[in-house]
Amino acid sequence: MTTTQPTLTVLDDYQGVALTSADWGPVRESHDVVVLRDHLPDEDAVVAALEGSEVVVVMRERTPFPASTLARLPRLRLLVTTGMRNAAIDVGAATARGVTVSGTTGSSTAVPELTIGMMIALMRGFAPEDAAVRAGGWQHTIGPGLSGRTLGIIGLGRLGVPVARLAQAFGMRVIAWSPNLTPERARPHQVEAVTKTELFAQSDVVTLHLPLSERSRGLVGADDLARMRPTAYLVNTSRGPIVDEAALLEALQAGRIAGAALDVYEREPLPADDPWRSAPRTLLLPHIGYVTTDVYREWYGQVVEDVVAWRGGEPLRVVTP
């Protein structure tokens, strides 16, 4: 007699690599594994897709799980998120409903590397020059190098520090600001702590490296952008809502700053008719700052460990409210 196993669903596997990034054999012993590559657009779609799932694996902050969604998924017993922090999950509501939330750990240079890469690509016009060469053209843009320029980092923490080191290797002067940054904390990294006003006024490039919270939402507004030089650039690989997107778009359209490189947006995936898709002087990427084969192997390998440990009654890396 055949018994039906409970279902484990992997969400938002955009590249279709979740099952090849780890050995899912131990999970398949207890669960039927379903992978969804397309993003589920709203709560009804999420509930319809997951109503039979006991375990759901989510990529950090792609699909939201507020209390209202969790209440409509009575079979759900385990949520596994990549990363140990996921603002899209109401962990308190999950815990109250008896749903375990487990995460994954690990450190990576992926985001700092991408940040520097985006800076160079934006400032040196890689995208328009690539398009021009493919169209039969040759040399249309010119831009500055990094050496001797000033990089302003908002958030000198887990990601901001390695960005500073990489920038310094290119000969950049690095300054930083965040609400809690002090000169004493910045000094060991050869970084100068400045005020927010000074950072926007002095920087040739401003880059953001702090988590999204109610405190950081809208942290970079129109007044800050107005202090930037017309030759300055902004790079955001953190979270879209940290920057007032309407103000940034207006500054770009008016030519008040030289350009912006964005890997994150207020709405993700970016709608087809979103104004960012036609914004001038921009380099746009689809939130791939952490998306590398190395990171995915580590994350999905730990996802498997989390599921097996939970099934054995000793959950790993439990995320608490």
Side-chain angles (χ1 to χ4, degrees):
M1 180 177 177
T2 302
T3 58
T4 302
Q5 294 190 125
T7 299
L8 177 151
T9 301
V10 179
L11 293 182
D12 295 314
D13 183 17
Y14 295 157
Q15 297 94 348
V17 296
L19 298 187
T20 58
S21 296
D23 177 10
W24 291 78
V27 172
R28 294 185 187 277
E29 294 176 4
S30 60
H31 288 82
D32 293 326
V33 178
V34 175
V35 176
L36 301 181
R37 294 188 60 177
D38 293 332
H39 181 70
L40 300 171
D42 53 43
E43 183 174 290
D44 288 342
V46 171
V47 172
L50 302 181
E51 59 184 357
S53 297
E54 181 182 65
V55 179
V56 175
V57 177
V58 300
M59 187 61 68
R60 182 181 174 189
E61 292 171 17
R62 287 188 183 174
T63 296
F65 280 83
S68 58
T69 299
L70 294 165
R72 297 172 65 185
L73 297 172
R75 295 187 183 182
L76 180 64
R77 309 308 318 148
L78 174 66
L79 260 177
V80 184
T81 176
T82 57
M84 290 301 295
R85 176 190 296 168
N86 190 335
I89 298 175
D90 187 332
V91 178
T95 302
R97 297 190 63 83
V99 177
T100 300
V101 181
S102 287
T104 63
T105 60
S107 60
S108 170
T109 59
V111 172
E113 289 170 359
L114 187 85
T115 299
I116 299 298
M118 292 182 77
M119 285 169 51
I120 297 173
L122 175 68
M123 296 166 72
R124 296 292 298 276
F126 283 10
E129 290 294 5
D130 174 83
V133 170
R134 294 175 188 277
W138 196 257
Q139 287 200 24
H140 293 80
T141 64
I142 187 168
L146 300 186
S147 181
R149 309 288 171 174
T150 296
L151 176 65
I153 300 178
I154 299 178
L156 191 67
R158 183 177 61 88
L159 297 175
V161 167
V163 167
R165 292 179 184 143
L166 290 172
Q168 289 159 348
F170 282 97
M172 298 189 80
R173 170 197 178 216
V174 182
I175 60 177
W177 171 85
S178 70
N180 299 314
L181 183 64
T182 63
E184 291 72 25
R185 290 176 57 192
R187 193 173 298 118
H189 308 293
Q190 290 74 54
V191 174
E192 179 185 353
V194 297
T195 67
K196 188 182 183 189
T197 297
E198 289 170 335
L199 183 137
F200 280 95
Q202 296 180 22
S203 297
D204 295 296
V205 184
V206 174
T207 181
L208 285 73
H209 298 286
L210 67 175
L212 177 64
S213 66
E214 287 310 309
R215 187 179 181 184
S216 65
R217 185 178 294 273
L219 184 67
V220 176
D223 290 346
D224 302 307
L225 298 172
R227 295 186 180 97
M228 294 177 68
R229 302 166 181 171
T231 55
Y233 301 84
L234 184 137
V235 179
N236 189 3
T237 58
S238 188
R239 287 295 182 269
I242 295 174
V243 179
D244 182 334
E245 286 196 342
L248 177 58
L249 190 59
E250 182 182 1
L252 289 164
Q253 291 171 337
R256 290 196 295 273
I257 64 173
L262 306 177
D263 188 43
V264 289
Y265 310 88
E266 180 81 39
R267 294 185 293 174
E268 296 183 10
L270 203 61
D273 61 349
D274 194 282
W276 278 119
R277 292 188 183 268
S278 57
R281 291 179 292 280
T282 53
L283 174 67
L284 307 178
L285 295 181
H287 203 158
I288 59 171
Y290 58 88
V291 179
T292 67
T293 53
D294 309 291
V295 170
Y296 273 28
R297 278 196 296 266
E298 184 172 22
W299 279 357
Y300 282 119
Q302 291 188 24
V303 165
V304 171
E305 293 175 359
D306 286 346
V307 174
V308 172
W310 171 80
R311 188 182 68 206
E314 297 181 357
L316 288 174
R317 294 179 282 267
V318 175
V319 180
T320 57

